[in-house]
Amino acid sequence: MADPSMPRRGVSATSRSDFDATELTRQFEQLLRTRRLNNLTDRPRSRSGSPIPHDRTLSSSSSLARQSSSSSVSKPSSHHPPRPTSTSASGSLPPSYSSLRNLPKIPSPPEDASSLRFRNLLLTLSVTPTKYENPGLLDDALSVIPLDRIYSEAEEESQILQAQAASLGENEKPEWGYQDCVIRALLRWFKRTFFTWVNNPPCPMCFSPTIAQGMTPPTPDEAARGATRVELFRCSAVECGAYERFPRYSDVWALLQSRRGRCGEWANCFSMLCRAVGGRVRWVWNMEDHVWTEVYSEQQKRWVHVDACEEAWDNPRLYSEGWGKKMSYCIAFSIDGATDVTRRYVRNPAKHGLDRTKAPEGVMIWITNEIQRMRRESLSKEERRRLIKEDDREEKELRGYVAQALAVEVANMLPSSPNSPGTSSPGGSGATTTSEDQKHPAGRQSGSAEWVRARGEGGTGQPGPDQSRERR
């Protein structure tokens, strides 16, 4: 007797063999892709940090749970142990690498009290070079300069430089142009003939040495000529005892009359005279009590360091490597804006730099950008474009100093490599030596030995006992 269920089993077997699972497979794969996409979308991420390990632990645990439910073997594999539920006993997360996230620096407005005070200080200092554009003051400055002597010396030096360049080849250019030679001649005359350095002024009655007595308020006439503070001195002769006042003038017209002072007066007056003979000028302020000048060289397409007190030309390493001076901020102010030029004067921040704590670096960039906008807003589009190109070229130069310093440090660590710092110009690819690299910075020459020693600028590299309050 035949089994009645046999035909039904034959029909079922036939239907299962004819069934097409392609559509079901496609739907299942689409479902897996959708779930995978949802998991990736819902997982928290951070631009500055790594993915949170706790989420990976949960996803791994759920994956293991699905595998154990679909497997007939409940024993976990010895080759794939389950992950721990926490990263450490304290539950701390991996580092967020915030230091890397802050590079490059993003300009940000000042918000804290220290940054706001620093901004106000830089805005006040940025006014100094704008005074050099006064037409009447320019005429007064030209009237005290022996132009025939200056131009004659400049012409002679320019011809010598041209002859030296011609002897090296047809395509060689002179190291300095005629306008550079004019500034160099002006520098020699200013240092050797025109201006006088003041330590303690002599007694006005008997011309004996005087002794500092501290500060005294300025008279109305002194205040009208820009003297915000006045130093008082008394004659050292007992029978005399006369007093001498030393107003610290900031007005250039007053300095053209007095023709004496310290580095503040020297830099202010010399910068004005450079502007009067047609140079583009920067007045450079240093946080650690010094100021100097920069002039733009059209021949070399860069700003050149000039210190009238030391008769120094293109020697920016003078302060850090010569004087042993440690510096934090060096800001150059001009009629076109402000620029942080610290990298030009502090080549080795670890050795010659001080902490920059007045404001965060992003705020520092924001302040200099603000001053540039204020000074350039009335310029034409072509003029602004030209200045932007100069800014980019200078930024490349300053970055080159950093790379050059790193290369020297690496070379010094190699025992078989000769120590040859400064063998290539910043940002350049050739092994040419610049005039700056040929300079041998020395200790400070201006000022009395006692005054220089008190400021720690004699070349020993030791800071003075109270450098921040010393007289500039």
Side-chain angles (χ1 to χ4, degrees):
M1 182 176 179
D3 190 351
S5 63
M6 289 299 294
R8 286 196 297 270
R9 285 200 300 268
V11 173
S12 177
T14 304
S15 63
R16 282 198 300 268
S17 62
D18 294 337
F19 178 76
D20 188 5
T22 304
E23 182 63 21
L24 182 60
T25 302
R26 189 190 64 80
Q27 295 178 2
F28 182 74
E29 292 176 349
Q30 181 63 31
L31 178 62
L32 290 179
R33 284 193 293 268
T34 302
R35 177 173 296 182
R36 174 69 173 170
L37 179 62
N38 292 338
N39 291 338
L40 293 176
T41 304
D42 296 337
R43 179 181 298 175
R45 288 182 175 270
S46 172
R47 290 176 59 90
S48 61
S50 304
I52 301 178
H54 184 62
D55 292 342
R56 278 187 275 175
T57 303
L58 292 177
S59 63
S60 301
S61 301
S62 60
S63 176
L64 290 174
R66 286 194 299 269
Q67 292 177 6
S68 60
S69 61
S70 61
S71 176
S72 60
V73 180
S74 60
K75 182 180 179 179
S77 173
S78 60
H79 298 286
H80 302 281
R83 295 194 178 192
T85 57
S86 62
T87 57
S88 64
S90 61
S92 60
L93 298 178
S96 62
Y97 306 106
S98 58
S99 60
L100 296 179
R101 180 185 60 190
N102 292 334
L103 296 176
K105 301 295 187 299
I106 305 300
S108 57
E111 297 178 353
D112 58 283
S114 177
S115 298
L116 290 172
R117 286 194 300 268
F118 194 54
R119 170 184 176 269
N120 293 335
L121 172 63
L122 296 185
L123 288 176
T124 303
L125 295 173
S126 69
V127 178
T128 300
T130 63
K131 302 175 183 178
Y132 305 153
E133 305 301 315
N134 187 325
L137 194 58
L138 291 171
D139 290 339
D140 290 338
L142 286 174
S143 66
V144 302
I145 301 175
L147 294 176
D148 291 341
R149 170 184 171 181
I150 299 298
Y151 291 145
S152 175
E153 292 183 7
E155 180 67 25
E156 181 180 355
E157 183 179 16
S158 177
Q159 292 179 1
I160 293 175
L161 292 175
Q162 291 177 3
Q164 291 176 349
S167 65
L168 298 177
E170 296 182 358
N171 298 327
E172 293 293 331
K173 295 182 178 180
E175 182 179 10
W176 304 107
Y178 175 75
Q179 183 62 29
D180 302 328
C181 295
V182 170
I183 302 297
R184 287 162 64 95
L186 183 69
L187 174 64
R188 291 189 294 269
W189 166 80
F190 187 87
K191 167 69 174 180
R192 304 175 188 180
T193 305
F194 183 72
F195 224 71
T196 303
W197 181 272
V198 174
N199 293 308
N200 288 16
C203 174
M205 305 300 295
C206 64
F207 301 100
S208 299
T210 58
I211 303 173
Q213 301 295 302
M215 308 298 293
T216 186
T219 64
D221 179 67
E222 292 169 342
R225 290 187 283 175
T228 58
R229 54 198 178 104
V230 178
E231 298 176 9
L232 186 64
F233 296 86
R234 182 177 59 84
C235 180
S236 59
V238 178
E239 63 276 7
C240 179
Y243 285 88
E244 171 69 352
R245 301 170 65 88
F246 178 35
R248 306 303 305 274
Y249 292 124
S250 60
D251 182 71
V252 182
W253 186 86
L255 296 177
L256 292 175
Q257 312 306 315
S258 67
R259 304 184 182 184
R260 68 174 188 171
R262 300 197 190 99
C263 54
E265 291 86 353
W266 280 65
N268 197 10
C269 188
F270 180 74
S271 298
M272 176 65 209
L273 296 181
C274 289
R275 188 71 188 101
V277 297
R280 293 178 56 194
V281 177
R282 277 176 171 176
W283 178 76
V284 185
W285 169 83
N286 167 235
M287 186 77 182
E288 286 67 44
D289 199 27
H290 192 51
V291 285
W292 58 88
T293 307
E294 285 184 351
V295 294
Y296 191 78
S297 171
E298 293 291 346
Q299 182 76 4
Q300 297 204 7
K301 302 298 181 183
R302 64 180 177 91
W303 289 95
V304 179
H305 158 257
V306 188
D307 193 322
C309 301
E310 305 294 293
E311 199 179 326
W313 171 269
D314 196 23
N315 192 9
R317 296 181 297 160
L318 170 68
Y319 312 117
S320 59
E321 300 179 24
W323 295 6
K325 189 179 183 71
K326 293 188 175 183
M327 299 182 288
S328 57
Y329 294 94
C330 299
I331 313 298
F333 300 97
S334 71
I335 189 62
D336 299 320
T339 306
D340 185 355
V341 293
T342 309
R343 288 171 289 178
R344 178 175 291 131
Y345 299 94
V346 182
R347 304 294 178 85
N348 189 339
K351 184 177 180 181
H352 302 124
L354 293 176
D355 293 337
R356 295 161 60 98
T357 58
K358 294 299 180 180
E361 292 303 315
V363 173
M364 182 67 213
I365 298 175
W366 191 92
I367 296 173
T368 54
N369 289 346
E370 179 187 19
I371 297 175
Q372 284 189 352
R373 287 193 300 268
M374 293 169 52
R375 297 287 178 257
R376 301 179 183 183
E377 59 184 0
S378 60
L379 300 179
S380 64
K381 183 180 298 184
E382 292 76 12
E383 191 71 11
R384 288 197 299 267
R385 187 180 298 112
R386 179 185 63 82
L387 292 175
I388 290 175
K389 290 182 179 179
E390 286 185 3
D391 295 340
D392 294 340
R393 191 161 52 239
E394 183 175 30
E395 178 62 24
K396 182 180 179 181
E397 173 195 347
L398 297 177
R399 290 180 180 178
Y401 292 134
V402 178
Q404 187 181 35
L406 292 175
V408 171
E409 289 297 324
V410 172
N412 290 339
M413 290 187 294
L414 301 177
S416 59
S417 298
N419 184 9
S420 55
T423 55
S424 60
S425 59
S429 57
T432 58
T433 302
T434 64
S435 62
E436 173 204 333
D437 297 323
Q438 298 173 358
K439 305 290 178 63
H440 298 282
R444 183 164 190 162
Q445 306 300 314
S446 56
S448 64
E450 181 182 358
W451 183 77
V452 171
R453 186 166 52 251
R455 293 168 59 94
E457 298 173 351
T460 60
Q462 299 297 327
D466 194 3
Q467 190 176 14
S468 61
R469 293 201 298 266
E470 289 292 337
R471 299 171 294 172
R472 176 177 292 153

